[in-house]
Amino acid sequence: MKKGFIALLALMMMLVAACSNGSNQPANSGGSGGGASNSGATQLTMWSMETRNKEIIEASIAEFNAQNPDIQIKAEFFEDEALKTKMKVAIAGNQVPDIITYWSGETFDTLVEQNMIGDITDFLNEDAAFRDDFLAGGLETFTYDERNYGIPVLFSGVSLWYNKQIFEEQGLTPPATYDELLQVVDQLNANNIIPIAVAGKERWPMLHWYSYLAERIGGTEPFEKAKNGETDFTEESFVKAAELLRTLAVDHKGFVNGFLGLDYAAAESLFTTGRAAMYLQGEWAMDGFLNDEISEQIGFVPFPTVEGGKGSVNVYHGGFGAGMAISSKTNQEAAYKAIRFLTDPAQRKAINEGANISPMKTPGLEEANMHPLAYEYDSSISTNLEGFFSYYDQALDAKRADQFLNSIGAILSEANSNIVEELAKVKK
């Protein structure tokens, strides 16, 4: 009887414990639907690759959590490749985190196509002032079938950086056209000054030069058609771009001698130590400029135009490379409230006052808080941006991206290489 009584008492205690649990959802541990914790708050797990801005973002999260006791964010930060690996596992298991900061492109498209990312169009439409403050193409980067699935967190743009002291001493003006660029290169070479630092060993810096020339000649349409398989990369604008690049880099010796064996650090050092006059790179290169005395000597201009070309000087190579999105399975209102707070210009102000470009037209930057070069660059982009075109090696599938990198390398390294034949190798 005693054993029976103990068993009955244990059963009753289990029933009471079950009845006392007021929630049917477990605490969220990433993509489980924004579950409630024991305190009743909605728990949101966030993954981000913005490790460089970790402290700033964590401060914003702490502020949000304090202001919203009913919604709590827990963030995890990963280096690029680590996050890509985690996302592959998450996609396979259909368990993406409640909030994610991720790159635009193929993987993001997959998330949308498989209904893993939440549609935030209606939320944005109710917040028109915020929605309409993005630079041209920002929200469109994360739009599919006229519905929006992400909020851009940064803009990336490649410009032609130049050494103002060298140009002044040589009586040169920063080139606005390709022909002017050749003239500048010739004069620099005549005075034994390295015209352009290029990391040819890395391959992609050479592709920046080629991509810009192709856009300045034919505009953005030829690439989009070739990418989609409607044409190929032997179309006239692509061939002409390769010819102009070879003329600049090889015939006029615009690129530093031995550029094909030069890595990124070595090429950057040539420019930051004042040995090379020009350097084509994105805003990320400012990390190597801002804390150095050389920063006072550095200026920038958009990539030059090509006579008779269709491309605009204010269309930049780059784009809105990363955005913040929410899982389709999570608490949509809570998650959107969180990313709206975290992407607000006021919360990302400290990030955008560094070596970054805000995706907003009115980012609220304070010149007094910024390095003069960073403020000038960010302001220039915000004021003049007309559009952008994607990095070729990111916009294409992995196979064609590698083929393109190889073909441009061959065109510049082999004087007798056939340009059309090399470009024809870029195919699915």
Side-chain angles (χ1 to χ4, degrees):
M1 289 179 63
K2 187 176 180 179
K3 291 181 179 178
F5 176 78
I6 292 173
L8 178 61
L9 181 61
L11 178 60
M12 291 176 66
M13 290 176 67
M14 291 173 61
L15 290 172
V16 170
C19 291
S20 66
N21 183 1
S23 171
N24 291 323
Q25 287 183 303
N28 189 30
S29 60
S32 62
S37 69
N38 292 334
S39 64
T42 298
Q43 303 293 313
L44 300 173
T45 293
M46 172 180 165
W47 291 355
S48 174
M49 80 303 205
E50 290 193 275
T51 54
R52 190 176 66 178
N53 303 315
K54 182 174 183 281
E55 292 183 5
I56 298 171
I57 296 170
E58 285 181 332
S60 291
I61 290 173
E63 184 178 343
F64 178 86
N65 288 347
Q67 293 180 13
N68 299 273
D70 59 328
I71 307 171
Q72 297 292 289
I73 307 170
K74 181 180 179 181
E76 296 180 63
F77 294 82
F78 305 92
E79 295 298 335
D80 293 1
E81 294 306 316
L83 182 55
K84 290 175 183 177
T85 299
K86 282 190 71 72
M87 280 304 298
K88 289 178 182 178
V89 176
I91 291 172
N94 197 18
Q95 287 289 317
V96 299
D98 302 297
I99 298 171
I100 184 168
T101 304
Y102 205 75
W103 299 274
S104 58
E106 187 175 347
T107 299
F108 197 93
D109 294 351
T110 298
L111 291 168
V112 174
E113 291 166 359
Q114 296 186 11
N115 299 315
M116 295 183 185
I117 294 293
D119 183 340
I120 60 173
T121 309
D122 294 339
F123 291 117
L124 287 170
N125 288 340
E126 293 172 2
D127 193 4
F130 178 68
R131 179 198 64 196
D132 297 339
D133 194 38
F134 286 94
L135 294 173
L139 288 176
E140 289 78 3
T141 298
F142 300 92
T143 297
Y144 304 84
D145 295 329
E146 301 183 354
R147 306 295 292 180
N148 191 271
Y149 294 87
I151 297 175
V153 295
L154 56 84
F155 176 80
S156 181
V158 175
S159 292
L160 183 62
W161 305 89
Y162 69 96
N163 187 303
K164 292 188 287 187
Q165 182 176 328
I166 292 176
F167 271 68
E168 184 177 343
E169 290 174 350
Q170 296 296 317
L172 296 170
T173 300
T177 68
Y178 174 80
D179 289 339
E180 290 177 5
L181 177 62
L182 291 182
Q183 293 169 14
V184 167
V185 163
D186 289 344
Q187 182 168 333
L188 290 169
N189 275 321
N191 289 284
N192 296 315
I193 298 170
I194 298 170
I196 303 166
V198 180
K201 186 176 182 180
E202 314 283 358
R203 299 190 302 170
W204 57 265
M206 297 187 295
L207 189 58
H208 281 343
W209 281 94
Y210 174 80
S211 303
Y212 253 133
L213 287 169
E215 189 280 333
R216 293 299 192 252
I217 294 168
T220 58
E221 186 177 0
F223 178 78
E224 292 302 315
K225 286 185 174 181
K227 181 183 74 172
N228 296 331
E230 299 173 42
T231 58
D232 62 22
F233 291 101
T234 62
E235 292 294 308
E236 181 182 1
S237 61
F238 297 119
V239 174
K240 181 65 175 177
E243 292 172 348
L244 294 187
L245 180 57
R246 181 185 275 174
T247 298
L248 169 67
V250 181
D251 299 343
H252 283 254
K253 299 181 180 178
F255 291 179
V256 58
N257 185 38
F259 69 91
L260 289 167
L262 212 62
D263 64 19
Y264 185 90
E268 184 174 90
S269 178
L270 284 175
F271 183 68
T272 57
T273 56
R275 287 178 287 168
M278 292 176 284
Y279 187 48
L280 186 71
Q281 277 296 344
E283 80 293 337
W284 57 82
M286 281 196 290
D287 271 342
F289 305 161
L290 300 187
N291 298 317
D292 197 299
E293 292 181 5
I294 193 72
S295 64
E296 297 179 3
Q297 300 175 20
I298 292 176
F300 61 89
V301 289
F303 192 88
T305 59
V306 174
E307 184 178 359
K310 298 179 180 179
S312 167
V313 71
N314 288 319
V315 173
Y316 282 77
H317 193 30
F320 300 84
M324 198 172 289
I326 63 177
S327 166
S328 59
K329 293 183 177 182
T330 195
N331 182 319
Q332 300 296 282
E333 290 188 7
Y336 178 78
K337 185 175 183 179
I339 66 170
R340 172 63 178 84
F341 181 89
L342 295 175
T343 57
D344 191 272
Q347 293 301 317
R348 295 189 65 86
K349 183 171 179 289
I351 294 174
N352 296 324
E353 286 178 344
N356 298 283
I357 304 175
S358 171
M360 314 300 290
K361 297 174 184 173
T362 54
L365 306 178
E366 293 185 54
E367 186 173 0
N369 296 338
M370 301 178 67
H371 189 287
L373 180 61
Y375 181 78
E376 183 183 2
Y377 194 61
D378 206 318
S379 299
S380 177
I381 296 290
S382 298
T383 302
N384 300 311
L385 181 70
E386 294 176 4
F388 65 92
F389 62 105
S390 300
Y391 302 117
Y392 282 14
D393 55 336
Q394 292 185 16
L396 295 171
D397 55 89
K399 178 183 176 182
R400 285 190 293 172
D402 193 59
Q403 291 169 342
F404 226 133
L405 291 165
N406 288 335
S407 292
I408 298 305
I411 289 169
L412 293 180
S413 64
E414 301 171 19
N416 296 322
S417 62
N418 185 295
I419 287 176
V420 175
E421 289 180 1
E422 287 297 334
L423 292 175
K425 294 177 183 179
V426 184
K427 57 186 178 181
K428 289 185 176 181

